[in-house]
Amino acid sequence: VVADQGSDIKLGVNLYREKNADCEYINDIVHKLAHLLQEELKNDKIWEELSKRASESRTKLLQTEYAHLIPPQRRDKARYLNLEELIKWSYRMLIGLQSDQLTLKDLEFLFRQFAWVYGLSDGIKELHQLWQITSITRDWVRNFGIQTETAVILSTKLQALELNFRSQQFADKIIQFVSEQSSKAKPYERLLGTSEIIESLIGLVKHHSNTQSRSGFTGSILIAAALTGKIDEQSVFNALTSVRTTEVEKWEQTYFASTIQKKRAKFYRQTRLMEDEIITRTSGAENGTYFVVDFEPETG
């Protein structure tokens, strides 16, 4: 199972593993790196100053001819991207201040608006080292997964970087984590190290099934198989003529537990007769007045 360490997901995976002892739990590399980087920077004064000054610069440059230089916008639900984009932006500004490729006008503007970047240059270079470590690790696991030798390969790659003491310690934390994950792989086995490709596929399934937030989705996961295989007119014809809708529904009932939505719908159907009976008994009261009891849920 490849997933992040969210409390709800972690609980679900552990419940599953209680009945399937041979199942391994791989921690999604992107989420793990985000967590490690965030922990590293949570009390970092340079990072705090950089975030503050970048936010101020963004406000000043919006809707100006130099709007293309504004810092990246903060994302409340994508902290990892906040870190990545802001570190990359600040390092590029540092390079721009020393560039001989820009016009005199552009250089003057850079110095007027971003001279403060020079004051943070040592810290920005250190942040860039931290980012290099995370991006190399992320990209390797994305492309090659988790194997028995992954930690050794990554260790060699990271040693080739010119790292200061702090960055080396950070790299060691990452290598230790990858080593723990690598120990779960068998020889010649390649495990997924990130759930991104799965999330992308599920997004594609939702797009094709036009799933709404309150509609059933569970059985529609079969669409994923069709989207990842070869599709031609003959295969579609064979599928439509050989498999009945009732067979698909039976398959879903056999292999999937009832979802919360299905249970809710069943409960509403079961209580509908009772609702009608109560409304009948409470309407037409004395003196022509009546009462209606509304049992519809707030979301209905």
Side-chain angles (χ1 to χ4, degrees), residues 22 39 44 63 106 113 124 140 170 175 180 205 237 254:
D22 59 337
E39 283 294 307
D44 188 280
Q63 297 183 346
D106 290 342
Q113 293 293 332
I124 289 173
W140 182 267
F170 182 68
I175 293 301
E180 294 170 357
V205 171
F237 176 81
T254 302

Side-chain angles (χ1 to χ4, degrees), residues 58-75:
R58 181 177 178 84
T59 303
K60 292 178 181 178
L61 297 182
L62 281 173
Q63 297 183 346
T64 70
E65 64 175 311
Y66 286 99
H68 58 285
L69 298 179
I70 62 175
Q73 187 172 7
R74 294 181 64 87
R75 295 180 173 94

Side-chain angles (χ1 to χ4, degrees), residues 265-282 293 295-296:
K266 181 179 179 181
F267 177 75
Y268 289 163
R269 287 197 302 271
Q270 291 171 335
T271 56
R272 175 63 65 180
L273 290 177
M274 182 187 299
E275 174 188 345
D276 293 340
E277 181 181 342
I278 292 176
I279 291 176
T280 300
R281 284 193 284 109
T282 56
V293 181
F295 279 86
E296 286 296 319

Side-chain angles (χ1 to χ4, degrees), residues 10 30 53 58-59 78-79 103 140 166 170 176 181 193 214 222 229 239 256:
K10 190 174 182 179
V30 177
R53 298 298 294 267
R58 181 177 178 84
T59 303
R79 298 181 182 89
T103 66
W140 182 267
R166 178 193 183 184
F170 182 68
Q176 181 181 353
Q181 302 300 291
R214 293 190 178 91
L222 286 172
F256 288 108

Side-chain angles (χ1 to χ4, degrees), residues 126-139:
E126 190 172 78
L127 291 175
H128 190 256
Q129 285 185 12
L130 297 177
W131 172 244
Q132 279 184 302
I133 295 167
T134 54
S135 61
I136 289 173
T137 304
R138 178 201 63 185
D139 293 345

Side-chain angles (χ1 to χ4, degrees), residues 88 121 123 143 152 162 178 190 203 206 211-212 226 229 231 238 241 266 271 279 282 287 294:
K88 287 162 62 177
S121 59
N143 289 313
V152 176
E162 295 183 5
V178 175
R190 188 194 304 271
K206 288 183 176 180
T211 300
Q212 302 299 316
I231 300 178
N238 292 340
T241 55
K266 181 179 179 181
T271 56
I279 291 176
T282 56
N287 303 322
D294 184 4

